Every structure is written in structure tokens, then in C-alpha cells.
Amino acid sequence: MPSEILSNIPTFALGVAFFLAAALYASVGHGGASGYLAVMGLYGMAPDEMKPIALTLNIAVSLVALVAFARAGHFQGHLFWPLAAASVPAAFIGGWLQSPEPIFKLILAAALIFGAWRLTFRQKIDENPLRKPDLIALLILGAVIGFLSGLIGIGGGIFLTPLLILFHWSSTKPAAAVSAAFIFANSCSGIIGFMAKGNTIPSLIWLVLPIVLTGAWLGSRWGSQRAPVPALQFSLAAVLVVAAAKFVIN
């Protein structure tokens, strides 16, 4: 199947799309799965191929982003560990389950719309006082996001980052650092659950992985030092909206 895909998709265009998705998402501490899913969805790839590719790329990109944000001093373990404790087993279950295609498309469309909203909606959260989160709330949030992440093949950052900010549990860059670690843990758990059923990762991954890692390195260095450029976030948000519409209509 990957060879058939490559025969119909200009390799250069595919590489550029993955590079931009990795760079932009890594700049805000995300792995980029919703961006990769958008690209693959627009090119007509099957959901059973999209999920493992997105999860694998998520692992690589989120790790690069985590290192960059942690080195900049933004990581907060008191937020990450409760979230991860609940999300990792839930992501494994979600990765093990096979979502029916119509449900997959609806969930994916919702995730992409949420990602677009995250990229365009800006709050001056750093100017507001932060609140200490309740442990039970963190565990519940981690479990729900972890399960959805494993089920649809994303790391959960598009859900977690805005919620940490909206609940006033974290300011912007620490939320990005926590999300990067959260995405890495969930994606590892999700791909293990996926492969536990005897599934394999499409060979297309070896073509795009070096491109995505390059974009992640550039984007994470940029994002951990300064805020992302709003114009680029709006551009990526538009791609996510178009992809979401495609999943709903088709």
C-alpha cells in the first residue's frame, strides 16, 4: 500500500507538508499527529495506515520538543506525573481497540477542529493567577485524553494544552513542556497497544521520519525561546479545518 501511495503523491509535496506540520507543532510542544493525520487524510490514505504513522512520528517529534522545552526550564513534573499515570494505560487500551471507520472519521474531525481552535485562540493566560489542580481532576483528565489519543492515533496535546491553560493550571510554555512529555508517553503506549494485536507500521514512515525530525528540531528550538508566529498558526489551522471537513463529508 505505501508504494501505491507514493506512486500517486508527489514526494516533494508530501515531505514539505510533513516538515511544516512537525516544525509548527513542535514549536508549541506538540507531536503533530493531528497535522500528519490532516495531510494523510487529504491524500486519501486509509485510517488503519494513518494511525500507526501518526503515533510513530508523534513519538519522535514530542521527544525532540520535550528536550528543548525542558532545557529551557519549562517542565513541571507535578502536573505531568498524575496525568501520565492515568493516560498511559488508557492510551494502551485505545491503541488496542479498532475504531469503526465512520466513528473514527467523526472523532478525528472533532480533534482536528479542536486543534485548529487551539492554534487560533489566544488567551493572555500568563497575566492571570494560576490555580493548583486537584489530583483527582488530573487523573480523570489524563485517563479521558489518553484513551481518545490511543483510539484515534494522536498524543493528546491538542486537548491537554488548551485545558491546562483554560483551567489556569499552567502558563503557556510550561503547558507546552508538560504536553510534550504527555504526548510522548501516550504515543508510546498507543503504538504498543496497536502492535500488540499483530499490526505493523507502514514502511512510509522511513521516508518521512528524517524530514519530520528536522522540522521538529527547528520548530522546538524556535518555540521554546519565543512565542510562535500567529500567521503560521492560522495557516496550519486552515489545513486542519479543511481536513476535518473532508472526513465529515466523505
Side-chain angles (χ1 to χ4, degrees), residues 20 42 45 75-76 79 81 84 95 101 124 127 134 146 159 164 191 230 243-244:
L20 291 175
L42 288 170
M45 292 179 64
F75 180 73
Q76 294 185 339
L79 287 175
W81 293 114
E101 188 168 334
K124 295 183 178 180
E127 299 178 3
D134 181 75
F159 300 115
L164 290 176
I191 199 67

Side-chain angles (χ1 to χ4, degrees), residues 3-248:
S3 60
E4 296 177 7
I5 295 171
L6 290 175
S7 66
N8 297 318
I9 301 175
T11 304
F12 177 77
L14 183 66
V16 169
F18 274 106
F19 174 87
L20 291 175
L24 290 170
Y25 272 88
S27 72
V28 293
H30 290 186
S34 56
Y36 313 137
L37 289 169
V39 172
M40 291 184 285
L42 288 170
Y43 282 125
M45 292 179 64
D48 60 346
E49 286 190 316
M50 293 163 58
K51 180 175 177 177
I53 290 175
L55 282 173
T56 304
L57 295 179
N58 238 24
I59 292 170
V61 174
S62 61
L63 180 58
V64 172
L66 173 59
V67 170
F69 278 91
R71 283 182 173 176
H74 298 303
F75 180 73
Q76 294 185 339
H78 72 279
L79 287 175
F80 168 71
W81 293 114
L83 289 166
S87 70
V88 168
F92 177 89
I93 295 171
W96 184 80
L97 293 174
Q98 184 68 44
S99 177
E101 188 168 334
I103 296 177
F104 176 90
K105 288 185 176 182
L106 289 176
I107 296 175
L108 180 55
L112 294 173
I113 291 294
F114 198 93
W117 174 84
R118 165 67 185 100
L119 290 167
T120 57
F121 183 74
R122 307 285 295 181
Q123 277 197 329
K124 295 183 178 180
I125 186 67
D126 295 329
E127 299 178 3
N128 298 322
L130 299 178
R131 297 194 295 260
K132 183 179 180 179
D134 181 75
L135 178 60
I136 299 301
L138 286 176
L139 291 172
I140 293 174
L141 184 65
V144 172
I145 295 178
F147 178 77
L148 289 176
S149 300
L151 185 65
I152 63 179
I154 63 175
I158 58 172
F159 300 115
L160 180 62
T161 305
L163 289 175
L164 290 176
I165 294 173
L166 287 173
F167 292 158
H168 301 285
W169 289 347
S170 175
S171 54
T172 304
K173 289 195 175 182
V178 171
S179 292
F182 183 84
I183 291 165
F184 177 77
N186 277 342
S187 298
C188 287
S189 181
I191 199 67
I192 291 172
F194 177 82
M195 297 181 70
K197 295 185 67 176
N199 297 311
T200 58
I201 301 173
S203 59
L204 177 64
I205 191 71
W206 301 114
L207 173 67
V208 298
L209 185 58
I211 298 170
V212 165
L213 285 174
T214 302
W217 182 79
L218 293 172
S220 62
R221 284 176 58 87
W222 171 42
S224 62
Q225 300 298 325
R226 63 182 71 87
V229 177
L232 295 179
Q233 291 184 320
F234 277 104
S235 297
L236 182 54
V239 173
L240 300 184
V241 170
V242 170
K246 179 181 185 296
F247 281 113
V248 171

